């Protein structure tokens, strides 16, 4: 008995020590996830063992730190997939580690932003600059610190300004002037404006006679004065250099002589080039346009204004089509009952065999000879007792992805060869022609996706089965039973439609009996055979559309744009710049104060800097960063410590700042919070029920002076137990006055309690 007890204890100790030894070996190889798995096995086998629990907690913490640092190394090298894999292993070891979760989200954001950045570069190379800019902006919204997307967006915007001819003139003065002319010579008016702003004017040879102009305008800039004189004199200009203009009459001949033509190739992604060419010819007058159907491109040669108008139309109409997944479930139920019961006497024939002539003996009577040699054949009798009950069910659940306006087909069944014709040639060779027929369930679906993500679905369903052979074995002719349904329906995204009622019933009853004997009451059943069959088939179909990608509509402000007059295409109205405010000239007074005064003649004017944008793009260009006053805090048990939450790059439009700060509640206990260095209209600090996170909300005043960097809040904690606790921001957010929110960057810190 003692030997048995000792052996049992040894076996138990060896069984428990096995996972522990494996875990220690994995630790030596830095395979921490496998070590955690082995420790978990040992702890699950013996949950009361304190040593196993301690080792498991230590291994989980070590694994989280190891995989976090490995993932950071991959991120620094630009290997996003490797970083995500390391962070995933760390979360598998310690799922509640907020630092790993935040790093995982950042890695995913960087990977997605990098993918969008590469897509934007390809689209930019294809010539679709507006779509490329939108993709760069989307990449910056996902990860604001993406340098490549920020640089590409800045270059695209700068290039767009240069292409739109918005490069400023080299004026020696930007001071506004007053024009007052009555029946003055056109050339005199041009020369006065050119002299006032330091520009050179050259007249075309067609401007010979003096054209009188009457014009009065007060406090106008060079652009405004130039546009007014051009409209009054029916002329236009060509920019020779930054300070030289060539003036000529606004006629078709002169425009053809002086207007620059450019040639641009547009690479279309969705719309066919031929269809886009028809649209452009309908809406615009384009001098030369060529369609390359093989590359799906449009080549246009015209003025820069026409090219820009065509580019806007192409950008608005060459959109990615909507796409959906159709979840179809087809249920076919077949119920067949058959019963055969009774006496089957075959063909009910009686045959008597009479001897052939010449075999009847001469002695004796003929009747005796027949009795001795004649044979009577009776039919074979078979008693049938057969009963069959079949309950069959065919289930199909296909899923098909289809573009808007395209047809999707589903066939579940067989392709059966049916003979069409038999031809015998002159040599006697027989050739048979077959036609393959689809038998089973056929479904045709064609969706039209609407702007509200609903779909108009054209549905056609056919259920067919191969029936009995109506011909012969040599000349078969099969019967094909079909049931068809075709309908149109309007379905919302995720709405399920049911199509049922395709039922076929077949009921047959056959009685075969011996004449006269089968008609005898009660006893006639012995001379009868009953064959009964009932067949019922029902088909039920359900279809559920799910939108994968809806219509990508452009912004409202981009759907309508100015296109010029009836005779000329323009990006803006000829007198639109008259509504612009006059530039201000700032001069320093003797006392050092800055005053705003009208400029002296000939003095250059520096335009005022534009005010920052109130939209969300301003938040994107200057991403905020949540941080701490120290990367590592130290404290002793049963003492209080103060943690300052910092924030950088606070935009002037920020109105509300919020974040969750997570910590280890077993080591730290939240006491209270206080307002930092920002002027706050509201301040709220709430700890969750588990005591593991603090939710901070700071409402900023719109009138108070704003700091770009400072202490957002001061939190006081008490150290309750020795250990290391991570401080991690969760869900940091900044909202502007319009209620738009962004997710800024966040740093982490640690608290070491001794």
């Amino acid at each position: 008995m003692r030997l048995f007890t000792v052996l049992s204890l040894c076996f138990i100790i060896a069984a428990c020590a096995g996972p522990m030894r494996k875990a220690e070996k994995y630790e030596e190889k830095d395979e921490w996830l496998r070590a955690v798995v082995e420790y978990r096995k040992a702890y699950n086998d013996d949950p009361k063992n304190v040593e196993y629990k301690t080792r498991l907690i230590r291994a989980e913490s070590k694994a989280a730190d190891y995989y976090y640092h490995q993932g950071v190394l991959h991120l620094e090298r630009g290997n996003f997939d490797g970083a995500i894999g390391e962070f995933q292993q760390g979360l598998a070891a310690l799922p509640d580690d907020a630092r790993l979760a935040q790093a995982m989200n950042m890695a995913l954001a960087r990977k997605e932003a990098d993918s969008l950045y590469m897509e934007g570069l390809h689209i930019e190379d294809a010539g679709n600059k507006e779509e490329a800019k939108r993709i760069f902006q989307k990449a910056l919204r996902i990860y604001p610190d993406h340098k490549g997307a920020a640089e590409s967006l800045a270059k695209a915007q700068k290039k767009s300004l240069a292409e739109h001819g918005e490069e400023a003139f080299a004026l020696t003065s930007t001071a506004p002037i007053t024009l007052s002319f009555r029946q003055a010579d056109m050339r005199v008016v041009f020369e006065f404006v050119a002299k006032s702003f330091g520009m050179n004017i050259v007249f075309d040879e067609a401007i010979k006679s003096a054209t009188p102009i009457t014009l009065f305008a007060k406090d106008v800039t060079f652009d405004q004065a130039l546009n007014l004189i051009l409209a009054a004199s029916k002329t236009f200009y060509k920019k020779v250099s930054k300070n030289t203009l060539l003036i000529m009459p606004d006629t078709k001949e002169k425009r053809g002589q002086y207007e620059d033509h450019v040639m641009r190739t547009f690479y279309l992604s969705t719309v066919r080039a031929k269809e886009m060419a028809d649209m452009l010819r309908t809406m615009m007058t384009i001098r030369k346009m060529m369609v390359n159907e093989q590359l799906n491109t449009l080549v246009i040669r015209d003025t820069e204004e026409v090219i820009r108008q065509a580019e806007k139309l192409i950008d608005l109409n060459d959109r990615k089509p909507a796409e959906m997944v159709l979840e179809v479930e087809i249920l076919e139920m077949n119920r067949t009952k058959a019963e055969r019961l009774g006496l089957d006497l075959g063909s009910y024939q009686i045959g008597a065999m009479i001897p052939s002539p010449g075999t009847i003996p001469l002695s004796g009577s003929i009747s005796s000879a027949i009795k001795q040699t004649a044979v009577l054949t009776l039919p074979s009798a078979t008693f049938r007792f057969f009963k069959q009950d079949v309950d069959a069910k065919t289930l199909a659940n296909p899923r098909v992805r289809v573009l808007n306006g395209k047809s999707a087909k589903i066939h579940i069944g067989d392709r059966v060869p049916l003979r069409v014709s038999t031809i015998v040639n002159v040599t006697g060779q027989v050739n048979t022609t077959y036609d393959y027929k689809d038998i089973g369930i056929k479904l045709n679906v064609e969706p039209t996706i609407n702007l509200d993500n609903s779909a108009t679905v054209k549905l056609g369903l056919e259920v067919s089965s191969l029936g009995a052979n109506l011909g012969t074995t040599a000349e078969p002719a099969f019967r094909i039973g079909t049931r068809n349904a075709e309908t149109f329906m309007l379905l919302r995204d995720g709405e399920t439609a049911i199509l049922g009622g395709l039922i076929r019933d077949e009921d047959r009853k056959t009685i075969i009996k011996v004449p006269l004997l089968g008609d005898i009451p009660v006893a006639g059943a012995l001379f009868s055979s009953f064959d009964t069959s009932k067949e019922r088939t029902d088909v039920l179909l359900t279809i559920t559309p799910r939108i994968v990608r809806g219509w990508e509509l452009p912004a409202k402000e981009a759907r309508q744009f100015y296109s010029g007059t009836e005779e000329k295409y323009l990006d803006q109205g000829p007198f639109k710049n008259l509504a612009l405010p006059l530039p201000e000239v700032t001069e320093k007074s003797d006392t050092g104060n800055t005053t705003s005064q009208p400029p002296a003649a000939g003095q250059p004017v520096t335009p005022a800097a534009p005010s920052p944008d109130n939209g969300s793009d301003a938040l994107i260009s200057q991403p905020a960063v949540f941080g701490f006053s120290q990367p590592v805090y130290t404290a002793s048990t049963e003492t209080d410590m103060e943690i300052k939450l910092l924030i950088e790059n606070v935009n002037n439009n920020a109105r509300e700042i919020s974040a969750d700060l997570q910590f280890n509640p077993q080591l730290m206990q939240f006491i209270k919070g206080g307002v930092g260095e920002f002027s706050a209209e509201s301040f709220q600090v709430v700890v969750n029920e588990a005591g593991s996170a603090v939710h901070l909300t700071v409402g900023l005043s719109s009138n108070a002076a704003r700091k770009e960097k400072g202490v957002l809040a001061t939190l006081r904690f008490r150290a309750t137990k020795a250990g290391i606790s991570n401080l991690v921001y969760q869900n940091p957010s900044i909202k502007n006055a319009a209620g738009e929110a962004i997710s800024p960057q966040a740093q982490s810190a640690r608290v070491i309690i001794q």
Side-chain angles (χ1 to χ4, degrees):
M1 188 65 181
R2 290 180 181 178
L3 180 61
F4 177 76
T5 304
V6 172
L7 291 176
S8 300
L9 290 174
C10 293
F11 177 77
I12 294 173
I13 293 173
C16 296
M20 301 296 288
R21 284 197 297 268
K22 289 183 180 179
E24 291 172 354
K25 291 181 180 179
Y26 288 139
E27 286 182 359
E28 295 174 357
K29 299 178 182 179
D30 284 337
E31 297 180 3
W32 288 98
L33 185 58
R34 293 186 175 183
V36 169
V37 172
E38 296 298 332
Y39 282 130
R40 286 175 179 171
K41 289 180 181 179
Y43 179 68
N44 291 333
D45 294 337
D46 190 5
K48 296 181 180 180
N49 194 316
V50 179
E51 181 184 358
Y52 292 169
K53 183 177 181 180
T54 304
R55 287 197 177 190
L56 174 60
I57 295 174
R58 183 184 63 84
E60 289 176 343
S61 178
K62 290 273 189 179
D65 290 338
Y66 175 79
Y67 290 118
Y68 173 77
H69 291 297
Q70 292 296 319
V72 171
L73 291 177
H74 283 293
L75 281 180
E76 293 176 352
R77 299 168 186 165
N79 185 5
F80 302 126
D81 293 331
I84 292 172
E86 296 291 343
F87 293 145
Q88 286 176 342
Q89 293 187 70
L91 288 173
L94 190 60
D96 296 333
D97 194 303
R99 180 183 56 171
L100 281 169
Q102 182 179 355
M104 169 71 84
N105 294 334
M106 181 182 296
L108 291 173
R110 290 184 62 179
K111 180 181 179 181
E112 185 177 359
D114 196 67
S115 177
L116 289 172
Y117 168 66
M118 298 304 297
E119 181 183 355
L121 291 179
H122 290 305
I123 293 178
E124 188 179 34
D125 292 339
N128 196 345
K129 301 171 186 176
E130 295 299 325
E131 180 67 19
K133 286 195 293 185
R134 282 194 293 270
I135 293 178
F136 291 145
Q137 291 172 351
K138 185 177 180 181
L140 289 174
R141 283 195 296 269
I142 295 174
Y143 186 68
D145 288 341
H146 198 287
K147 295 182 180 179
E151 293 175 358
S152 298
L153 180 60
K155 290 181 181 178
Q157 292 174 345
K158 184 177 180 180
K159 190 174 181 181
S160 178
L161 291 175
E163 290 180 352
H164 284 66
E166 297 183 7
E167 186 179 3
F169 291 105
L171 305 177
T172 59
S173 173
T174 57
I177 63 174
T178 298
L179 303 177
S180 179
F181 297 97
R182 185 182 299 274
Q183 295 296 316
D185 188 353
M186 173 186 65
R187 287 175 291 189
V188 174
V189 178
F190 274 115
E191 290 173 356
F192 172 79
V193 173
K195 185 177 181 181
S196 300
F197 293 97
M199 295 291 293
N200 300 322
I201 296 292
V202 179
F203 295 98
D204 182 75
E205 60 181 5
I207 301 179
K208 296 180 179 179
S209 60
T211 303
I213 293 179
T214 299
L215 179 62
F216 177 79
K218 183 179 180 181
D219 294 337
V220 292
T221 62
F222 174 74
D223 290 335
Q224 295 170 346
L226 181 62
N227 287 334
L228 288 174
I229 300 173
L230 292 174
S233 60
K234 295 182 180 179
T235 57
F236 75 101
Y237 75 92
K238 177 179 177 60
K239 188 176 180 181
V240 180
S241 65
K242 290 185 177 181
N243 62 346
T244 304
L245 297 180
L246 176 62
I247 307 298
M248 69 284 296
D250 191 0
T251 61
K252 183 177 180 181
E253 292 78 10
K254 289 299 178 181
R255 285 193 174 273
Q257 179 181 352
Y258 286 106
E259 279 187 335
D260 294 329
H261 285 63
V262 296
M263 187 178 297
R264 184 175 300 178
T265 301
F266 294 93
Y267 291 85
L268 307 181
S269 59
T270 303
V271 181
R272 303 309 303 169
K274 187 176 181 180
E275 298 176 0
M276 183 60 69
D278 294 338
M279 181 187 301
L280 292 176
R281 290 192 182 99
T282 303
M283 299 300 299
M284 302 176 60
T285 302
I286 299 178
R287 291 180 175 88
K288 293 184 179 180
M289 180 167 52
M290 185 192 73
V291 176
N292 188 336
E293 295 186 2
Q294 184 176 2
L295 295 178
N296 198 37
T297 59
L298 278 178
V299 182
I300 300 177
R301 184 182 185 274
D302 213 310
T303 62
E304 185 65 33
E305 291 81 3
V306 175
I307 294 292
R308 288 199 294 266
Q309 300 290 329
E311 182 180 10
K312 292 178 181 178
L313 277 176
I314 292 174
D315 181 62
L316 290 174
N317 292 276
D318 189 24
R319 318 295 295 184
K320 293 181 180 179
E323 194 173 4
M324 72 185 333
V325 171
L326 295 171
E327 298 179 357
V328 182
E329 186 174 4
I330 305 172
L331 180 65
E332 182 181 12
M333 293 172 288
N334 188 358
R335 184 67 183 270
T336 303
K337 292 184 178 181
E339 185 176 290
R340 298 188 185 98
L341 182 64
L343 188 64
D344 187 0
L345 297 178
S347 58
Y348 297 96
Q349 295 178 354
I350 298 177
M353 187 179 69
I354 301 175
S356 58
T359 59
I360 299 175
L362 297 177
S363 61
S365 61
I366 296 176
S367 60
S368 299
I370 292 175
K371 289 180 180 180
Q372 292 177 2
T373 59
V375 178
L376 180 64
T377 302
L378 295 176
S380 61
T382 304
F383 183 74
R384 299 190 303 175
F385 50 94
F386 171 79
K387 186 175 183 180
Q388 183 183 33
D389 192 349
V390 179
D391 191 359
K393 180 172 65 175
T394 303
L395 179 64
N397 187 18
R399 296 187 179 187
V400 59
R401 185 165 176 170
V402 60
L403 287 173
N404 171 70
K406 301 299 181 181
S407 178
K409 297 181 179 181
I410 301 173
H411 175 222
I412 302 172
D414 303 314
R415 291 178 60 85
V416 179
L418 300 177
R419 185 163 59 177
V420 177
S421 61
T422 302
I423 301 174
V424 181
N425 54 24
V426 293
T427 60
Q429 185 178 3
V430 179
N431 295 323
T432 304
T433 304
Y434 292 92
D435 182 22
Y436 283 84
K437 181 72 174 178
D438 292 333
I439 303 297
I441 299 174
K442 291 197 298 183
L443 181 67
N444 295 333
V445 184
E446 183 177 336
T448 301
I449 304 174
N450 304 319
L451 296 180
D452 59 350
N453 283 344
S454 63
T456 303
V457 181
K458 177 183 178 182
L459 186 143
L461 176 66
E462 177 182 336
V463 181
S464 59
S465 60
L466 193 66
N469 185 6
L470 303 180
T472 62
T473 304
E475 299 287 339
F478 293 97
R479 181 184 64 185
I480 299 177
T482 60
R483 281 161 289 170
N484 299 286
E486 186 172 342
T487 182
F488 292 85
M489 60 184 74
L490 179 64
L491 300 175
R492 295 188 301 272
D493 182 20
E495 182 182 4
T496 301
I498 300 176
L499 181 64
L502 300 179
I503 303 173
R504 187 182 74 174
D505 282 325
E506 185 176 348
D507 192 353
R508 293 182 300 177
K509 186 175 182 181
T510 305
I511 301 177
I512 303 175
K513 55 186 178 180
V514 178
L516 299 178
L517 296 178
D519 295 331
I520 300 174
V522 182
L526 298 175
F527 303 95
S528 303
S529 176
F530 300 91
D531 190 348
T532 305
S533 65
K534 293 182 179 180
E535 184 176 353
R536 178 185 177 91
T537 305
D538 188 8
V539 177
L540 181 67
L541 179 141
T542 64
I543 182 170
T544 305
R546 300 194 184 278
I547 304 297
V548 177
R549 181 178 58 243
W551 289 104
E552 296 181 359
L553 298 180
K556 286 186 178 181
E557 57 271 14
R559 301 177 194 174
Q560 179 177 338
F561 56 89
Y562 182 77
S563 62
T565 61
E566 180 70 22
E567 298 180 354
K568 183 167 178 59
Y569 296 99
L570 299 171
D571 292 331
Q572 62 179 8
F575 305 110
K576 186 176 181 180
N577 56 5
L578 293 176
L580 298 176
L582 293 176
E584 295 184 354
V585 180
T586 57
E587 295 181 356
K588 285 291 186 74
S589 63
D590 296 337
T591 59
N593 298 326
T594 301
T595 59
S596 178
Q597 299 178 356
Q603 296 295 327
V605 180
T606 302
S611 60
D613 189 8
N614 292 331
S616 59
D617 291 342
L619 294 177
I620 295 173
S621 60
Q622 295 292 334
V625 179
F626 283 73
F628 299 89
S629 58
Q630 300 179 23
V632 179
Y633 295 88
T634 58
S636 302
T637 56
E638 301 302 329
T639 60
D640 295 347
M641 56 182 168
E642 186 178 80
I643 296 177
K644 294 182 180 180
L645 308 183
L646 304 183
I647 188 169
E648 298 180 10
N649 300 330
V650 181
N651 192 273
N652 291 332
N653 301 315
R655 294 294 179 267
E656 182 181 289
I657 303 175
S658 62
D660 293 333
L661 181 65
Q662 291 194 345
F663 55 91
N664 191 344
Q666 298 179 355
L667 307 180
M668 302 170 56
Q669 182 181 359
F670 174 73
I671 299 177
K672 65 177 181 179
V675 183
E677 300 174 354
F678 291 85
S679 299
E681 290 184 347
S682 61
F683 182 82
Q684 186 179 13
V685 179
V686 181
V687 63
N688 62 359
E689 296 181 357
S692 60
V694 172
H695 179 72
L696 173 68
T697 304
V698 181
L700 302 179
S701 173
S702 59
N703 299 324
R706 188 63 48 80
K707 299 179 61 176
E708 292 187 358
K709 179 179 179 181
V711 179
L712 179 63
T714 302
L715 305 182
R716 183 169 293 274
F717 292 87
R718 169 158 293 182
T720 59
K721 187 179 179 181
I724 300 177
S725 174
N726 294 318
L727 300 177
V728 181
Y729 285 103
Q730 285 288 320
N731 304 319
S733 175
I734 298 179
K735 293 184 179 180
N736 60 10
E740 299 174 340
I742 64 168
S743 298
Q745 300 295 306
Q747 301 174 352
S748 60
R750 290 190 301 169
V751 177
I752 301 176
I753 303 175
Q754 300 174 351

